[in-house]
Amino acid sequence: MEQELPIFESVFSVDCVIFGFEEGVLKVLLIERNEPPFKDWWALPGYLVEPNEGIDEAAQRILFKFTGLKDIFLEQLYTFGDVDRHPQGRLITIAYYAMMRLNGKKDLKPSSAFVKKAFWCPVSDVPQLAFDHTQIFEKSLQKIRRKISYSPIAFELLPEKFTLTQLQNLYEAILNKKLDKRNFRKKMLNYGILKELNEKQQGVSYRAAAYYKFDRRKYNKLFQKELSFMKEDDAGH
Amino acid sequence: MEQELPIFESVFSVDCVIFGFEEGVLKVLLIERNEPPFKDWWALPGYLVEPNEGIDEAAQRILFKFTGLKDIFLEQLYTFGDVDRHPQGRLITIAYYAMMRLNGKKDLKPSSAFVKKAFWCPVSDVPQLAFDHTQIFEKSLQKIRRKISYSPIAFELLPEKFTLTQLQNLYEAILNKKLDKRNFRKKMLNYGILKELNEKQQGVSYRAAAYYKFDRRKYNKLFQKELSFMKEDDAGH
């Protein structure tokens, strides 16, 4: 006879690490918690997943409820499952991350009593966060630091037209280090993936800098031909 | 007064996708299940995590118990959490993956009554697996396909000395497509990361091929200088 199988009930959470870039500063989206545990602490937006909810779906729902942001392209980062990461027992959490360009228009409107406020915090000013959120935040930072070295995410964070100084500021903000200006420009221009526009900054008191655009077509070609060790599509007949 | 907080109890599992390469064939480690649900089905080695066990630790323990393999370098791949992925209720699973060179000496010795047998199955022969394991397996395959194009994992799967034919066989096995021999060799040799040894195949009836070694030092240098878009360590002063 077939044995009776137990029914599993599982409680787990999702947390979202959303990076935004604005005027040379890399920021992360935080909330101030309104409920115990860690009441009044700053934390990543995150909460329990409903029993009948997919995990990607839960991440979108909770991010919207806690911050007002919606339709963000969230990618799964990592699952954190240390035995003692949560004071209320064994609770694993699936972390998601995203990067976005901030343009001043990104109003944050939490609609959950769980959240006192949601705000963008400069990455360099992030204090100790609730639970293991500091660890989750740092792992996400490492992820985007690696990613910026092999993918063109930088250009998704800048306005369509940008100066080389703005581009360098972004790399410096993500890598958290000063880069040599001459080397940086030489290297960036050598790739041939930036298109200089016939247009300069307006209304600046210093020498106006030229605007550039990212040339995605060239990037894709270069990436396929040179930057990739053995691309699948490039290796064939 | 501080409110009483509920205590969470969480049940979840880990699954391991272990790839092995042997004589030109890419294989994946499977078990035959001895218990319901999916009794007698083939599946990835995986089981429930203990309440007081870290998730990385659980993956190692279960892999050892189910297959006899130990001290494998497991990396977290992805967490699968579809609402209906498990017939016994909501059960999310954290998938890990690893790649290894098989040398005939990798005896598989399950020590769990849960497992009828463990075995290496050629990737091209994998049938429909239990639960959503087919989906997990396919996502892992995609992962190593992407990874082989930007990292030197191929050389970890080959013997220290290898012929260009062996190298091509490996790429073909992972990418699941035939590659043009002339293009492949030209490209591989052009990178300058292979060192030709003063040594040829012995005891073969056909024309003996030269052996090569992977030059990791050169690879690292090349990767830093050319293959990387803007490496952190290369961007500075």
Side-chain angles (χ1 to χ4, degrees):
Chain A
M1 208 186 88
E2 189 79 3
Q3 71 197 82
E4 189 91 7
L5 297 175
I7 295 300
F8 299 126
E9 257 185 87
S10 200
V11 182
F12 56 94
S13 66
V14 292
D15 285 296
C16 300
V17 192
I18 315 294
F19 292 103
F21 187 71
E22 186 172 40
E23 289 168 15
V25 181
L26 185 67
K27 299 177 179 178
V28 63
L29 183 55
L30 297 181
I31 59 161
E32 187 174 326
R33 291 171 59 90
N34 202 22
E35 300 285 342
F38 291 98
K39 182 165 158 44
D40 302 325
W41 278 63
W42 290 3
L44 299 169
Y47 200 68
L48 304 178
V49 177
E50 298 285 340
N52 286 307
E53 188 179 41
I55 52 180
D56 297 354
E57 192 191 329
Q60 292 288 352
R61 175 183 61 81
I62 292 161
L63 182 63
F64 177 66
K65 238 181 134 186
F66 278 26
T67 71
L69 290 189
K70 69 196 282 190
D71 300 328
I72 304 295
F73 179 67
L74 293 169
E75 282 188 272
Q76 212 186 87
L77 173 78
Y78 204 77
T79 295
F80 294 81
D82 280 357
V83 172
D84 55 1
R85 62 170 298 280
H86 198 290
Q88 283 165 264
R90 185 72 192 264
L91 188 80
I92 63 170
T93 194
I94 303 155
Y96 283 80
Y97 80 107
M99 304 186 74
M100 58 195 294
R101 179 189 301 156
L102 302 183
N103 51 13
K105 276 179 261 151
K106 291 278 184 298
D107 277 346
L108 297 175
K109 288 199 183 103
S111 58
S112 162
F114 197 87
V115 175
K116 215 178 277 178
K117 63 171 180 176
F119 56 102
W120 293 101
C121 179
V123 156
S124 52
D125 298 347
V126 173
Q128 184 67 39
L129 301 174
F131 308 105
D132 57 353
H133 287 191
T134 300
Q135 190 194 344
I136 298 175
F137 161 65
E138 279 167 3
K139 184 137 189 142
S140 308
L141 254 183
Q142 285 164 19
K143 175 82 180 182
I144 66 169
R145 278 180 187 153
R146 276 200 311 276
K147 205 164 172 178
I148 204 175
S149 73
Y150 66 80
S151 98
I153 50 170
F155 305 103
E156 280 155 35
L157 297 180
L158 288 170
E160 209 188 337
K161 301 184 301 187
F162 50 84
T163 66
L164 291 179
T165 301
Q166 285 177 313
L167 183 60
Q168 183 171 344
N169 286 344
L170 172 60
Y171 270 90
E172 289 181 342
I174 291 180
L175 299 177
N176 193 30
K177 64 198 273 193
K178 284 277 167 208
L179 303 176
D180 179 74
K181 183 170 162 176
R182 226 180 101 247
N183 276 352
F184 180 82
R185 292 184 173 216
K186 198 175 130 200
K187 190 153 188 167
M188 273 296 166
L189 294 174
N190 272 350
Y191 285 125
I193 58 172
L194 299 182
K195 198 159 143 185
E196 188 171 351
L197 301 178
N198 204 355
E199 189 183 345
K200 297 206 172 208
Q201 285 180 305
Q202 298 285 322
V204 289
S205 56
Y206 44 87
R207 195 160 72 99
Y211 278 120
Y212 288 82
K213 254 179 95 164
F214 174 54
D215 190 336
R216 183 170 295 278
R217 206 186 48 84
K218 274 212 181 150
Y219 174 85
N220 288 341
K221 223 171 131 187
L222 180 70
F223 186 77
Q224 226 166 309
K225 284 247 167 100
E226 299 293 338
L227 296 181
S228 158
F229 185 56
M230 176 60 68
K231 280 284 283 190
E232 190 174 352
D233 295 337
D234 194 34
H237 327 250
Chain B
M1 207 186 86
E2 188 80 1
Q3 72 197 81
E4 189 89 10
L5 297 174
I7 295 299
F8 299 126
E9 257 185 84
S10 201
V11 182
F12 56 95
S13 65
V14 292
D15 285 295
C16 301
V17 191
I18 315 294
F19 292 103
F21 188 70
E22 187 171 40
E23 290 169 15
V25 182
L26 185 67
K27 299 178 178 177
V28 63
L29 183 55
L30 297 180
I31 59 162
E32 186 173 329
R33 291 172 59 91
N34 202 22
E35 300 285 342
F38 290 98
K39 181 162 159 46
D40 302 326
W41 279 62
W42 290 3
L44 298 169
Y47 200 68
L48 303 179
V49 177
E50 297 287 339
N52 285 309
E53 188 177 40
I55 52 179
D56 296 354
E57 193 190 328
Q60 292 287 354
R61 174 183 61 81
I62 291 161
L63 182 62
F64 177 66
K65 239 182 133 185
F66 278 26
T67 71
L69 291 188
K70 70 197 283 191
D71 300 328
I72 304 296
F73 178 68
L74 292 170
E75 282 188 272
Q76 215 187 85
L77 172 78
Y78 203 78
T79 294
F80 294 81
D82 280 358
V83 172
D84 55 1
R85 64 170 297 281
H86 199 289
Q88 283 165 263
R90 184 71 191 263
L91 188 81
I92 64 170
T93 194
I94 304 155
Y96 284 80
Y97 79 106
M99 303 186 74
M100 59 196 293
R101 180 189 302 157
L102 301 183
N103 50 14
K105 276 179 260 153
K106 291 274 183 301
D107 276 347
L108 298 175
K109 288 199 182 103
S111 58
S112 163
F114 197 87
V115 175
K116 215 177 278 179
K117 63 170 180 178
F119 57 101
W120 294 101
C121 179
V123 156
S124 52
D125 298 346
V126 172
Q128 184 66 39
L129 301 174
F131 309 106
D132 57 354
H133 287 191
T134 300
Q135 191 194 343
I136 298 175
F137 160 66
E138 278 168 2
K139 186 141 188 141
S140 308
L141 254 183
Q142 284 164 20
K143 175 83 179 181
I144 65 168
R145 279 180 188 154
R146 276 198 311 275
K147 205 162 172 180
I148 205 176
S149 73
Y150 66 80
S151 98
I153 49 169
F155 304 103
E156 281 156 35
L157 297 181
L158 288 171
E160 211 189 335
K161 301 184 302 186
F162 51 83
T163 66
L164 291 178
T165 301
Q166 286 177 314
L167 183 61
Q168 183 171 344
N169 285 345
L170 172 60
Y171 271 89
E172 289 181 342
I174 292 180
L175 299 177
N176 192 29
K177 65 198 272 192
K178 283 280 165 205
L179 303 175
D180 178 75
K181 183 170 163 178
R182 227 179 102 246
N183 276 352
F184 180 83
R185 294 184 171 216
K186 197 175 132 201
K187 189 152 190 169
M188 273 297 165
L189 295 174
N190 272 351
Y191 286 124
I193 57 173
L194 299 182
K195 198 157 139 187
E196 188 170 350
L197 301 178
N198 204 356
E199 190 184 342
K200 298 209 172 204
Q201 285 181 305
Q202 299 285 324
V204 290
S205 56
Y206 44 88
R207 196 159 71 98
Y211 278 119
Y212 289 81
K213 255 179 93 163
F214 174 54
D215 189 337
R216 184 169 296 276
R217 207 186 47 84
K218 274 213 180 148
Y219 174 84
N220 288 340
K221 220 172 134 191
L222 180 71
F223 187 76
Q224 226 165 310
K225 285 248 168 101
E226 300 291 338
L227 296 181
S228 158
F229 185 56
M230 175 61 67
K231 279 285 283 190
E232 191 173 351
D233 295 336
D234 193 34
H237 324 253

